[in-house]
Amino acid sequence: RPSSVDKPAPPERVLSTRLEEALDPETARLSGTALHALLQHLGKVERARWPAVLPRALETLLPEFPDRHAALAARALSIVSRPELAFLFGPHSRAEVPFLVSALRRGEPVSLSGRIDRVVVDDSGVLVIDYKSDATVPGRVADVPGNYRTQLGLYALVAGQLFPGRPVRAAILWTELESLMNLPHELLAEARADFTLR
């Protein structure tokens, strides 16, 4: 999986981040999954219905931890309501884009599988987005953790195959800051240098 390429992790832990690890593991895992699900589906619901839909959705997504509902609802609502992020959730976007491709890593055959949190396809090309909920957000692109760079680099590589002929960019949506960080093409290319698609 691109999210754990150098340190394989069981699927249920892939969404964990430093912020989530401050909670107990089960609360952290389920909270992360719930926030991802809200960001995935809210764009399909009429804006006027969001206040009514969010509590009901969290009762289904996170019934064991009702004390987390208000904070998660507020975070999701704030993110999808930000004007500068509106294009991420608009008609040109797709949520949870799955993939399974054959590749080589340093010449050895591997399979890459995963789900890209968000993909925007418009006249400018393709933008792949991954959500990260770290409590401490790097101030510079150069300080983005290496495993995140590799993950986004591989997502961009795969997106180039899914949408041939279109320029591909990649970015991280830091949910704590509710801001988008674009990663330069050169950084992505360096991070995925060990991989080629077959």
Side-chain angles (χ1 to χ4, degrees), residues 39-47 49-50 89 95 118:
L39 295 177
Q40 176 185 353
H41 294 293
L42 273 180
K44 304 172 187 174
V45 178
E46 290 179 35
R47 182 178 291 265
R49 296 184 57 219
W50 288 353
F89 305 99
R118 204 89 196 174

Side-chain angles (χ1 to χ4, degrees), residues 8 28 36 46 55 64 74-75 102 109 113 123-124 136 149 155 159 161-163 172 179 182 192 195:
H36 276 65
E46 290 179 35
E64 305 93 334
R75 177 71 66 197
S102 297
S113 68
D123 292 340
S124 68
T136 303
R149 297 186 203 182
Y155 283 178
Q161 185 176 72
L162 296 177
F163 304 96
I172 295 173
S179 64
N182 292 293
R192 66 172 184 245
F195 294 85

Side-chain angles (χ1 to χ4, degrees), residues 35-173:
L35 180 58
H36 276 65
L38 293 176
L39 295 177
Q40 176 185 353
H41 294 293
L42 273 180
K44 304 172 187 174
V45 178
E46 290 179 35
R47 182 178 291 265
R49 296 184 57 219
W50 288 353
V53 167
L54 278 165
R56 293 205 314 265
L58 284 163
E59 286 171 6
T60 301
L61 292 166
L62 204 61
E64 305 93 334
F65 304 103
D67 57 313
R68 298 283 300 150
H69 290 187
L72 287 169
R75 177 71 66 197
L77 190 60
S78 181
I79 289 171
V80 298
S81 298
R82 284 187 171 273
E84 70 273 21
L85 300 178
F87 75 102
L88 298 182
F89 305 99
H92 299 294
S93 69
R94 306 177 192 186
E96 297 287 324
V97 177
F99 64 86
L100 174 62
V101 298
S102 297
L104 296 174
R105 183 183 191 190
R106 302 188 193 109
E108 294 294 322
V110 295
S111 293
L112 297 175
S113 68
R115 288 181 182 270
I116 304 172
D117 287 337
R118 204 89 196 174
V119 177
V120 179
V121 182
D122 57 24
D123 292 340
S124 68
V126 180
L127 175 64
V128 297
I129 302 102
D130 192 66
Y131 307 144
K132 298 296 183 190
S133 301
D134 295 45
T136 303
V137 176
R140 305 179 307 154
V141 168
D143 296 328
V144 171
N147 59 320
Y148 290 0
R149 297 186 203 182
T150 302
Q151 179 184 4
L152 270 293
L154 290 173
Y155 283 178
L157 185 66
V158 170
Q161 185 176 72
L162 296 177
F163 304 96
R166 293 176 177 265
V168 178
R169 296 170 293 126
I172 295 173
L173 175 59

Side-chain angles (χ1 to χ4, degrees), residues 13 20 23-33 62 64-65 67-68 72:
R13 294 300 300 154
E20 292 169 351
L23 304 170
D24 71 88
E26 184 66 2
T27 305
R29 180 181 70 82
L30 293 173
S31 294
T33 301
L62 204 61
E64 305 93 334
F65 304 103
D67 57 313
R68 298 283 300 150
L72 287 169

